[in-house]
Amino acid sequence: MGTQISLRHLRCFSAVARTGSFTVAAQQLFKTQSSLTATIKQLEDLAGVQLFDRTTRRVELTKDAVWFQEVAERIIRDFDNAVSDLQATARSEHGNIRISVVPSMMPHILAPALEAFRKSYPDVKISVRDEGSEKTERAVLEGTTDFGLSSPLNHFADLDYRPVLADPFGAVFPKGHPLASHKGDLTWADLRDHNYVALTKDTGIGALIRHFPDLEPKHRGTEVDYASSTTSLYALLKLGDRITVLPSLAAHTGQMAEFEFRELHEPKVEREVCIITRHMRSSSPTTRRVLEILLKTIRETRPVHGVRILDTAFN
């Protein structure tokens, strides 16, 4: 029987218990007095106990119902608060958002978007994981992050990749390196005779450029070192006689920005930067709002360091 008692019954009971009057309670609930009386009678029948003693002047709780008033009001309060919280989440008034991003996207793309988002939704908690392409894709795939911003590496079937930027590759080398005096366009073949630091193939950058024969160790007569991140890459470039190849945004991020960058030609190669989400999974309202602001930021920001905005991002 208890399962037939609804929130409507509890609201009516609470209003009568609080006011001590069917007339006043009916007015507060915007009900007719007869409707309210019928609802209370139904509640008493379902509960199997009388809840009110009725006199000509006042309605009072029976002894059996005194304790129930506190319980009923707590249930009503918890329900109303839960609904309010749910609606607040839908409006992004609070909640949290988890983002995975490759390091080079953070200062140039994501940071300005999050700044704009925080101004509109100051109470949303933001968690950002600074990771490589492999970990970014897997975090989205496993649901530990809401979306990623990275170049595609594994092209998982369960992920959606939305291209937003084309980031050109170039040579990176210390100031004073012989390549700094190279005249005209710098080509991939021009790198063949210089000591080279390669990023490992488990990085998005390393995976993309490892197929270029002019950079393959077996085709080179010069030394090849390996780095698994831009942090270790920076340390090796500081040795002074080495070069590397990076996309423009990566070359202009953090410590790497102290080196020279020259865009490469013959061919011109660009990495595709994508917004990565789970396929056939609906995003939360907060995630959708962050993505809307991210795309707006990309669309309205002047291109930096030769990066192109892809029209497909806004179709």
Side-chain angles (χ1 to χ4, degrees), residues 104-110 112 164-169 247-253 261 263 268 270-271 273 297-309:
S104 58
M105 294 298 108
M106 187 63 199
H108 304 288
I109 306 299
L110 187 60
V164 291
L165 295 171
D167 191 8
F169 276 88
S248 180
L249 289 180
H252 291 91
T253 298
F261 174 83
E263 188 172 320
K268 180 176 180 177
E270 298 172 314
R271 72 164 169 175
V273 178
T297 300
I298 291 172
R299 184 171 55 245
E300 295 180 353
T301 300
R302 293 179 61 185
V304 293
H305 308 304
V307 177
R308 292 189 302 112
I309 298 173

Side-chain angles (χ1 to χ4, degrees), residues 192-213:
R192 187 177 298 139
D193 297 327
H194 299 279
N195 294 334
Y196 175 63
V197 184
L199 281 167
T200 53
K201 63 181 181 180
D202 61 337
T203 65
I205 297 171
L208 182 60
I209 66 176
R210 74 179 188 273
H211 301 296
F212 284 84

Side-chain angles (χ1 to χ4, degrees), residues 32-277:
T32 63
Q33 187 170 336
S34 60
S35 174
L36 177 59
T37 300
T39 300
I40 295 297
K41 179 63 167 62
Q42 186 181 50
L43 175 59
E44 291 177 324
D45 290 342
L46 290 169
V49 65
Q50 183 176 333
L51 299 173
F52 294 102
D53 287 325
R54 298 160 177 81
T55 67
T56 55
R57 300 184 62 180
R58 184 166 176 81
V59 177
E60 296 182 350
L61 287 167
T62 63
K63 291 181 180 180
D64 293 329
V66 170
W67 67 270
F68 185 61
Q69 180 183 9
E70 181 180 348
V71 174
E73 289 181 348
R74 183 174 68 247
I75 292 171
I76 294 168
R77 183 171 59 253
D78 288 347
F79 176 82
D80 289 344
N81 287 341
V83 171
S84 179
D85 288 346
L86 191 62
Q87 292 171 336
T89 298
R91 296 190 297 269
S92 298
E93 291 178 0
H94 62 66
N96 62 81
I97 181 74
R98 304 162 302 169
I99 305 168
S100 290
V101 58
V102 291
S104 58
M105 294 298 108
M106 187 63 199
H108 304 288
I109 306 299
L110 187 60
L114 292 181
E115 182 180 3
F117 178 80
R118 177 53 59 84
K119 289 178 181 177
S120 299
Y121 307 101
D123 296 324
V124 174
K125 295 179 181 179
I126 302 171
S127 299
V128 178
R129 299 168 62 170
D130 186 346
E131 299 178 315
S133 297
E134 168 80 16
K135 289 186 177 180
T136 294
E137 283 180 307
R138 293 197 178 276
V140 179
L141 187 67
E142 294 166 5
T144 58
T145 194
D146 294 302
F147 72 90
L149 188 61
S150 169
S151 54
L153 180 61
N154 296 294
H155 296 277
F156 290 116
D158 289 335
L159 296 181
D160 287 331
Y161 298 86
R162 183 176 185 178
V164 291
L165 295 171
D167 191 8
F169 276 88
V172 179
F173 44 86
K175 292 179 172 61
H177 189 278
L179 283 179
S181 59
H182 182 89
K183 303 299 182 182
D185 289 343
L186 192 64
T187 69
W188 294 80
D190 292 326
L191 309 183
R192 187 177 298 139
D193 297 327
H194 299 279
N195 294 334
Y196 175 63
V197 184
L199 281 167
T200 53
K201 63 181 181 180
D202 61 337
T203 65
I205 297 171
L208 182 60
I209 66 176
R210 74 179 188 273
H211 301 296
F212 284 84
D214 292 312
L215 299 181
E216 279 290 296
K218 64 183 180 181
H219 294 147
R220 297 175 58 86
T222 56
E223 184 177 349
V224 175
D225 297 321
Y226 287 92
S228 61
S229 69
T230 53
T231 301
S232 52
L233 181 63
Y234 172 81
L236 290 172
L237 289 179
K238 289 293 285 184
L239 297 176
D241 63 341
R242 286 154 173 76
I243 66 169
T244 193
V245 172
L246 288 175
S248 180
L249 289 180
H252 291 91
T253 298
Q255 293 175 307
M256 299 303 300
E258 75 177 60
F259 300 117
E260 297 285 344
F261 174 83
R262 290 276 300 275
E263 188 172 320
L264 286 165
H265 300 269
E266 298 180 20
K268 180 176 180 177
V269 180
E270 298 172 314
R271 72 164 169 175
E272 194 174 66
V273 178
C274 298
I275 293 172
I276 305 173
T277 55

